[in-house]
Amino acid sequence: MFLHSVNLWNLAFYAFMIFMATLGLWDVFFGFEENKCSMSYMFEYPEYQKIELPKKLAKRYPAYELYLYGEGSYAEEHKILPLTGIPVLFLPGNAGSYKQVRSVGSIALRKAEDIDFKYHFDFFSVNFNEELVALYGGSLQKQTKFVHECIKTILKLYKGQEFAPKSVAIIGHSMGGLVARALLTLKNFKQDLINLLITQATPHVAPVMPLDRFITDFYMTVNNYWILNAQHINLTTLSVAGGFRDYQVRSGLTFLPQLSHHTSALSVVSSAVPKTWVSTDHLSIVWCKQLQLTTVRAFFDLIDADTKQITQNSKKKLSVLNHHFIRHPAKHFEENPAIISDLTGTSMWVPVKVSKWTYVAYNESDKIYFTFPLANHRKIYTHVYCQSTMLDTNSWIFGCINSTSMCRQGVDLSWKAELLPTIKSLTLRLQDYPSLSHLVVYVPSVHGSKFVVDCEFFKKEMRSIQLPVTHLFSFGLSSRKVVLNTSGLFYNIELLNFGQIYQAFKVNVVSKCSGVKEEITSIYKLHIPWSYEDSLTIAQVPSSTEISLKLHVAQPENDSHVALLKMYTSSDCHYEVTVKTSFPQILGQMEEDTFTYSLVSSYEREQKVVRFHGGALPAYIVSSILLAYGGQLYSLFSIGHCLEYDVMLDKEAKPYKVDPFVIMIKFLLGYKWFKELWDVLFLPELDAMFLTSQSMCFPLVSLILFLFGTCTAYWGGLLSSTAVRLLSSLWLALKRPSELPKDIKVISPDLPFLTVVLIIVSWATCGAFAILLTYLYYVFKIVHLQASLTTVKNSQTANPKHSRRGEKKSNHHKDSTVHHLRLSTSDAEDSLRMHSTVINLLTWIVLLSMPSLIYWLKNLRYYFKLNPDPCKPLAFILIPTMAILGNTYTVSVKSSKLLKTTSQFPLPLAVGVIAFGSAHLYRVPCFVIIPLLLHALCNFM
C-alpha cells in the first residue's frame, strides 16, 4: 500500500539518495589508510591494585573506584604503600575501561627499567564503571568531583617521602580529557594539583552528539571558564587527535581554542606527531605503540633532576611537548642546547664548491667535515637544502663564521633540522644567516653502516610551484597538473584555494626514474600551516601514488598562508602531480548520518557519527515528517480524509518552506537592533550561527541535509508501515480476529489509571523508560487497529452485501449521534494513516531519549532513580498526550474547531527544529510534542 501510492520518479530519487549516502558512508568508514599502529604488549602480567578510598567517599560514589597499575615485581613491591615515583592519573572516556592505562603504563615501566629506576612513574586509573557519558551528561559533574577526590587521595600515598609530589599529571582519553579540564571549574580546586594534561581524542570544542542539555551545559561551563580565565590558567595542555581513522570524534573538535593569553596549549593530529606519523581510530589511540612511545619519552624529558618530579617550569614543559609532538630535530631533548659546538679532533676537511652534492658513506674510518663556502652561492641562490639518511641523534650540520677552509667552532644548525621517516632534513634561507661564511656537513666514522648525505643550493621560485585545486562542483571530471622536470631534492607545491573542510581532493603523484638500480624512497608531506594536522605518504619510486587532501580545521579568515604539498624527491626521477575533486570524499565530509548508540563489545564503542554534520540529520528528518504531518492534518480539515504519508511527504516536505526562514533570521541577527530584540525575548542562539563559528557552514549544506532527511523520512515511514503490518499479521495468527470498535471513546475507563501509572514510573525511575513504555502502548493500539481493519476487509471481500449494509448503518450513526461515533472502514484507514505518521514522530522521540535509558539500565544496580533526568519533563507531557492519541480516530477530530489551527502549527515548528535543533538534538522532542498535544486536544474542542 505504501509503495503503490508513491510516484516512480520519487522512488527513483529516494533510491538515488540512498546510493549517494552509501558513497559518503563508504568514504568515512573505509576511505582511510589501514591501521598502521603497532600493538603495545605487556612483558609481565598486568595487575590493577585497588586503592582504598575513605568510607564517606566510597559511599558517595559507589560505582567509582581508583586503581594503581603494575606488572610483575613492580606490582608486588608497590602493594606495600607509600609510593616513591611520579604520579600519573589516567581518565577513561565514554564507556572506557580503567584497564586502558596498561599500554602507556607498561611502556613507562620498561623505560624506567632501562635507566635502573633512576626515575619511574606510578600510573593510576579511575574506574568510572564504563559510564556512557557521551550519551548522558548528567554524570559528568559527578565524575569531575570524584577525580578531584582521587587526586587528593593519590598525593596522600606519597606522604613522608623525600621527593613527595605536590601535583599529578593527567592523561584523559575522549570524555576523560574534558572531565580533566572541568576540574578547574570546581570551587575548591587548586590549579597547582595538576602539572600537565594530555588529552587523547577528546572533543573539546563541542559534544559529538548533543543529546541532552546536561552535556551542552557542561561544555559551556568548561569552555567559558577557560576563555574567561585564560590569563590565570597556567596548565600546560596537549590535545592529540586521531585523524581521519577516528570517525567517532572528528579531529576538528579536539583542537583547543587558541586564546591570546593562554599560550600553554597545543593541539596536534597523530599523523603529524614525529616518530608516530599514523592516524589512529578512537580506541587505538590509547594503545598505539608509536604514539605511546612518544608520550613516554616526553614524560621522562619533563622530569626535574632536583625534585625528581615533573618540572614546574612552564616554558620547559612546552619545549618538551613541541620537541616530541610538533617538530623533532632528530636530537635528544636539551633544555638549554649548546648553540656553539667545537669542531676539533683528527678529522678530514674537504671543501665542496659545487651547488649540488651527494656523498655515499660506507665503512668510513675517518671523520670528515665537508665545507661549503657561502659567499659565491649567496649571489645566485636563496636557499640551501641538506638531508641525511643517517637517523642518529648526533649533530651533523654546522655554520662557520669568518672561516677560510676550516673552523674550530661552529653554530650547531642540527637543532633546526626536521626528522622524517627515512631522512632528517634542513632548509635554510641564506639571507637569514649573513654572518655565516661556510656550511659544514659532518660525516662520522661508521662501520657496517651505509648512509647518504645530499646538499643543494636553489632559488626559491624554482622549487615553489603553484597548483590551484579544482572546483568543488567539477565532480572529478576535470583535473589540474604540474610536471617537475628538474632534478631537485625538494619541492613546495602550493595548493591554492584549498582551505575549507568541505573540500576533498585526490592527488596522484607519478614518478618516472632513469638509471635507478636500487630502491629509492620519496616522501610527500601535506603541510597545513594554520594547524598541526600534517600527514605523510612514503612512496617507493618509480610508482604512482594517490594522496587524499582533506582538512580537519578550516583556514581562519585572517590567515593568508597556503597549504603545501612538500615533496622530498630523488634527483634521478621526474614527477607529475595531478589534482582533481573527489566527489565521494566530499560526500564523506558533508554527508550526515546518525546512529542510535549501539553498545558493542561491552560498550567499548562510543557514538558513531559521520564527519562534521552527523548530529544534524535527525533534525532534518523530523522537520520533513512534521511537514507531512501538517499536510495530513490539513487534508483532514479541507477534504475530510487523511492522505497517505508518502504523498504528503512528497507534496509538503520542500526545502524552500524551511531554509529561507532560517537564512533570513541568520541575516537579521547581523543587525544590532534585531540581536537586542532576540536577546530580550530570551531566545537561544541560532544553531546556524553556532555552526558558522565552527567554520561548518558548507555551500548548499542545508539543502543537501534536507534532501537526505526527506529520503530517510520516506524509508523510515516505509519501514514502520511494514513493521505494523507484520505485527498485525502475527497478532491475527495468535489471536482471534477482532472487529473495529463499535463506539469511539477517547477516554476509556482504564486510560486514567494507565496514565497515572506511567507518570509514576517516570517520576520514580527514568523518564525515557516511561516514554518507551508509552511508545509500546501506542504501537500496540495501532497494531490492534491494523488487525481489526484487515479482519473487516477480509469479511467484506467474503460477504460484500453485508459490508454495504454495515457501511450504511455506520454512516447513519455518524449523522444522528454526536457522542457515540461508530468507525467505518474508510475512517479506520484514515486513522491508520494518521497514526503511522505519529509513530514516525514518536519513534524519533524515543531514539533521542534512548541514551539516558541505556545509562539508567546500566547503572540500575547503583541507582534506581535517574538523577538528573533530562526526559522527565517531556515524559509528563507526552504520556497523557499519547494515551489520548492512542484512542483518537479521524472521525472524532475532523469536525474540531481546533483542527485548522493544529494543521498550521507543524510548518513553523519544522522551521524551529532546523533553527534550534540541528546542533542541539535534545530540543527536537520539544518541537514534536506541540502538534501532538494540539492533535489530542482536537478531541475535546
Side-chain angles (χ1 to χ4, degrees), residues 236-528:
T236 303
T237 307
L238 171 69
S239 174
V240 183
F244 287 111
R245 279 195 61 84
D246 189 349
Y247 53 78
Q248 297 182 39
V249 175
R250 63 179 182 85
S251 297
L253 292 177
T254 68
F255 278 70
L256 292 160
Q258 295 295 321
L259 304 175
S260 57
H261 301 292
H262 188 210
T263 57
S264 298
L266 290 174
S267 302
V268 63
V269 179
S270 61
S271 60
V273 175
K275 295 190 176 183
T276 301
W277 295 307
V278 296
S279 177
T280 67
D281 60 53
H282 197 63
L283 291 180
S284 67
I285 197 168
V286 299
W287 56 255
C288 182
K289 186 176 181 180
Q290 296 96 311
L291 183 60
Q292 299 310 322
L293 281 169
T294 300
T295 304
V296 169
R297 292 189 199 104
F299 268 126
F300 276 88
D301 282 340
L302 286 165
I303 297 174
D304 187 323
D306 296 329
T307 63
K308 294 188 178 181
Q309 296 293 325
I310 288 180
T311 179
Q312 297 298 317
N313 187 331
S314 298
K315 186 177 179 181
K316 179 182 177 180
K317 285 189 279 191
L318 207 58
S319 297
V320 170
L321 296 179
N322 270 291
H323 179 93
H324 287 284
F325 288 91
I326 305 299
R327 185 183 177 93
H328 199 296
K331 289 178 67 66
H332 291 306
F333 174 79
E334 294 180 25
E335 185 175 359
N336 298 304
I339 302 300
I340 305 299
S341 299
D342 293 327
L343 307 179
T344 56
T346 56
S347 306
M348 293 177 58
W349 288 79
V350 179
V352 179
K353 297 183 179 181
V354 295
S355 60
K356 186 173 182 179
W357 167 83
T358 299
Y359 184 79
V360 180
Y362 182 67
N363 280 336
E364 298 292 332
S365 57
D366 297 320
K367 302 175 183 178
I368 307 176
Y369 288 103
F370 292 94
T371 62
F372 298 80
L374 300 179
N376 292 331
H377 290 311
R378 290 184 199 276
K379 300 175 183 178
I380 306 173
Y381 306 106
T382 60
H383 290 70
V384 60
Y385 170 82
C386 292
Q387 66 181 33
S388 173
T389 60
M390 186 174 187
L391 303 182
D392 64 350
T393 57
N394 295 318
S395 296
W396 63 286
I397 190 163
F398 307 88
C400 286
I401 301 173
N402 300 324
S403 173
T404 52
S405 60
M406 60 180 290
C407 56
R408 295 184 179 276
Q409 289 186 325
V411 179
D412 191 349
L413 300 174
S414 306
W415 290 103
K416 298 185 180 296
E418 180 182 14
L419 178 66
L420 296 169
T422 58
I423 60 172
K424 52 186 178 183
S425 67
L426 173 69
T427 303
L428 297 177
R429 190 169 68 163
L430 295 178
Q431 72 178 51
D432 292 342
Y433 301 89
S435 60
L436 297 184
S437 61
H438 288 72
L439 187 70
V440 179
V441 176
Y442 172 61
V443 176
S445 58
V446 292
H447 300 283
S449 299
K450 180 180 180 180
F451 64 95
V452 181
V453 184
D454 297 278
C455 284
E456 65 172 351
F457 292 84
F458 63 89
K459 290 183 178 180
K460 180 184 177 181
E461 57 269 23
M462 298 299 293
R463 300 299 172 83
S464 296
I465 302 168
Q466 293 185 341
L467 178 60
V469 297
T470 50
H471 194 271
L472 176 69
F473 296 109
S474 64
F475 300 108
L477 300 177
S478 61
S479 62
R480 289 185 176 138
K481 180 172 65 176
V482 294
V483 179
L484 312 179
N485 286 320
T486 58
S487 57
L489 297 171
F490 174 77
Y491 293 90
N492 271 332
I493 308 294
E494 297 180 1
L495 302 169
L496 303 182
N497 307 319
F498 176 49
Q500 300 300 325
I501 54 179
Y502 56 79
Q503 294 176 297
F505 306 95
K506 282 186 178 179
V507 172
N508 191 42
V509 182
V510 177
S511 54
K512 298 178 182 179
C513 308
S514 57
V516 177
K517 296 181 181 179
E518 58 184 24
E519 195 175 71
I520 301 176
T521 299
S522 291
I523 299 174
Y524 312 131
K525 178 180 179 180
L526 176 62
H527 173 62
I528 308 301

Side-chain angles (χ1 to χ4, degrees), residues 101-134:
V101 71
R102 62 182 176 267
S103 295
V104 65
S106 181
I107 291 173
L109 184 58
R110 302 282 84 77
K111 177 78 172 176
E113 288 178 347
D114 291 342
I115 58 174
D116 295 326
F117 284 94
K118 179 181 178 182
Y119 309 112
H120 74 273
F121 288 86
D122 300 319
F123 278 84
F124 297 85
S125 185
V126 174
N127 178 18
F128 286 133
N129 192 34
E130 300 183 7
E131 287 184 338
L132 306 170
V133 288

Side-chain angles (χ1 to χ4, degrees), residues 1 43 49 97 108 110 160 230 246 275 298 340 405 446 507 605 669 758 776 818 916:
M1 183 177 176
F43 288 85
Q49 180 184 348
S97 170
R110 302 282 84 77
D246 189 349
K275 295 190 176 183
I340 305 299
S405 60
V446 292
V507 172
R605 291 196 172 191
L669 281 170
L758 289 174
L776 295 175
V818 176
F916 302 107

Side-chain angles (χ1 to χ4, degrees), residues 782-841:
I782 305 314
V783 169
H784 185 268
L785 177 61
Q786 176 70 60
S788 301
L789 183 61
T790 303
T791 301
V792 171
K793 284 187 173 182
N794 291 339
S795 66
Q796 288 178 352
T797 304
N799 192 355
K801 291 183 179 181
H802 177 75
S803 67
R804 283 196 292 270
R805 286 197 299 268
E807 188 73 21
K808 290 178 182 179
K809 187 176 180 181
S810 173
N811 291 334
H812 171 72
H813 273 272
K814 283 194 286 183
D815 294 336
S816 60
T817 308
V818 176
H819 300 289
H820 300 284
L821 298 172
R822 287 204 62 178
L823 195 65
S824 67
T825 305
S826 61
D827 288 330
E829 289 178 341
D830 282 349
S831 300
L832 196 58
R833 295 187 190 110
M834 186 66 73
H835 286 307
S836 297
T837 305
V838 173
I839 281 182
N840 291 335
L841 288 171

Side-chain angles (χ1 to χ4, degrees), residues 24 52-53 125 143 242 244 353 380 485-486 615 621 661 737 799 878 891 893 895:
E52 187 175 349
L53 300 173
S125 185
Q143 287 191 0
F244 287 111
K353 297 183 179 181
I380 306 173
N485 286 320
T486 58
I621 296 170
F661 292 99
N799 192 355
L878 187 68
V891 67
V893 299
S895 60

Side-chain angles (χ1 to χ4, degrees), residues 135-136 242 293 312 321 416 525 591 608 640 684 700 848 874:
L135 307 181
Y136 168 73
L293 281 169
Q312 297 298 317
L321 296 179
K416 298 185 180 296
K525 178 180 179 180
E591 179 189 310
K608 297 179 179 180
L700 303 179
L848 293 174
L874 177 67

Side-chain angles (χ1 to χ4, degrees), residues 129-178:
N129 192 34
E130 300 183 7
E131 287 184 338
L132 306 170
V133 288
L135 307 181
Y136 168 73
S139 63
L140 285 168
Q141 189 68 19
K142 184 169 60 175
Q143 287 191 0
T144 305
K145 292 179 179 179
F146 179 74
V147 171
H148 183 199
E149 298 297 332
C150 285
I151 293 173
K152 292 189 286 186
T153 301
I154 289 169
L155 295 178
K156 288 178 182 177
L157 299 177
Y158 296 85
K159 210 167 186 179
Q161 298 301 306
E162 183 181 359
F163 299 101
K166 298 179 181 179
S167 58
V168 302
I170 294 181
I171 299 177
H173 173 238
S174 188
M175 295 298 287
L178 187 69

